[in-house]
Amino acid sequence: MTEEPSRGTNPGSPNPELRAADADRERVAEHLRDALAEGRLDMTEFEERLEATYAARTYGELDPILRDLPVGAAPSVSMVKAPAPGGVARDGAGDDWPARIGGEASSQWGVAIMAGFQRKGHWTVPRRFNSFAFWGGGEIDLREARFAEREVVINCVAIMGGMNVVVPPGVEVVVRGIGIMGGFDHREEGVPGEPGAPRVIVTGFAFWGGVGVERKMTRAQRLEAREDRRREKLERREARRAELESRREDRRDR
């Protein structure tokens, strides 16, 4: 009977003692992020496996990290050092902007009268989105949205109510609203946009109300930022360990 190959490696892969590359560790980390998002791992398991991933030096050390995950959540670790297809970044960062601009709007307006409304997740922002809140509130979240055009207008009218516009990092924001006994948040103005990123103009009128504008990362981006900090910590630790080992060898040679 032929033994079934491990789910985490390619059949016929090189010797497990071969050194793994940074790209291999990043691919494993990406599969772990997907497994966390799908609920296959809890946060403690995710952090433990992530630390093991960045500490791994060989393919043999990477293999057990993905072995108990389904094939869909843990594709094989490629032994070919090739760039990601199309150079597309995850969650709207960097090179992904052109792919997020264009298409038919999925929502044109939002209304909250003594209640609330939300536009968030995967939706397509029109060239002009109109919103109205009276004794209520609205949330317009653009972090995972597509944009019908390169420049979009978010028009907010808040009467004794409030609106909150959430934009992802990299987007240029311009605020042109008028407030009477209320106001518009201008804190995110003046931040240069990334090449190819959309421009969001927030305009409208606030009377005894307010329109907030804030810049936030998605949950996946926050996880990636945490991973970057963890990886930097591990790299510093490894550098200190190598330096101490070098000093010991120098003392032995004297």
Side-chain angles (χ1 to χ4, degrees), residues 63-85:
D63 176 46
I65 296 171
L66 301 177
R67 184 174 292 164
D68 63 344
L69 295 175
V71 174
S76 60
V77 176
S78 173
M79 302 303 177
V80 180
K81 309 305 179 280

Side-chain angles (χ1 to χ4, degrees), residues 128-132 153-157 163 201-205:
R128 183 181 180 90
F129 180 85
N130 293 304
S131 57
F132 175 78
V153 175
I154 307 295
N155 183 52
C156 302
V157 177
M163 304 271 193
I201 300 174
V202 180
T203 186
F205 175 73

Side-chain angles (χ1 to χ4, degrees), residues 64-247:
I65 296 171
L66 301 177
R67 184 174 292 164
D68 63 344
L69 295 175
V71 174
S76 60
V77 176
S78 173
M79 302 303 177
V80 180
K81 309 305 179 280
V88 176
R90 293 171 56 89
D91 300 296
D95 295 344
D96 199 24
W97 287 123
R100 293 178 63 181
I101 297 177
E104 185 177 351
S106 56
S107 180
Q108 300 281 350
W109 50 271
V111 176
I113 299 176
M114 292 184 287
F117 76 85
Q118 283 187 331
R119 296 293 182 274
K120 63 189 301 183
H122 297 283
W123 66 294
T124 301
V125 186
R127 182 179 64 84
R128 183 181 180 90
F129 180 85
N130 293 304
S131 57
F132 175 78
F134 175 74
W135 276 23
E139 181 183 9
I140 305 166
D141 191 333
L142 310 180
R143 287 177 292 175
E144 297 181 356
R146 292 180 57 88
F147 299 83
E149 296 188 11
R150 171 72 172 72
E151 179 175 285
V152 299
V153 175
I154 307 295
N155 183 52
C156 302
V157 177
I159 310 297
M160 292 182 287
M163 304 271 193
N164 194 44
V165 180
V166 183
V167 301
V171 169
E172 180 187 1
V173 177
V174 178
V175 180
R176 296 176 180 168
I178 299 172
I180 298 177
M181 290 185 287
F184 279 71
D185 189 346
H186 289 260
R187 288 176 296 177
E188 295 300 336
E189 276 196 301
V191 179
E194 293 178 354
R199 186 171 187 245
V200 176
I201 300 174
V202 180
T203 186
F205 175 73
F207 176 72
W208 278 20
V211 176
V213 181
E214 58 181 334
R215 195 179 303 271
K216 286 184 177 181
M217 293 186 292
T218 63
R219 181 172 181 269
Q221 289 172 331
R222 291 196 301 272
L223 285 172
E224 288 187 9
R226 185 187 302 176
E227 291 172 30
D228 288 341
R229 293 193 295 270
R230 182 185 298 274
R231 184 168 60 249
E232 290 172 1
K233 181 178 178 181
L234 289 172
E235 288 173 352
R236 290 195 298 269
R237 184 187 305 170
E238 185 64 26
R240 289 195 297 268
R241 184 184 304 165
E243 183 180 358
L244 289 174
E245 183 63 27
S246 177
R247 290 178 180 176

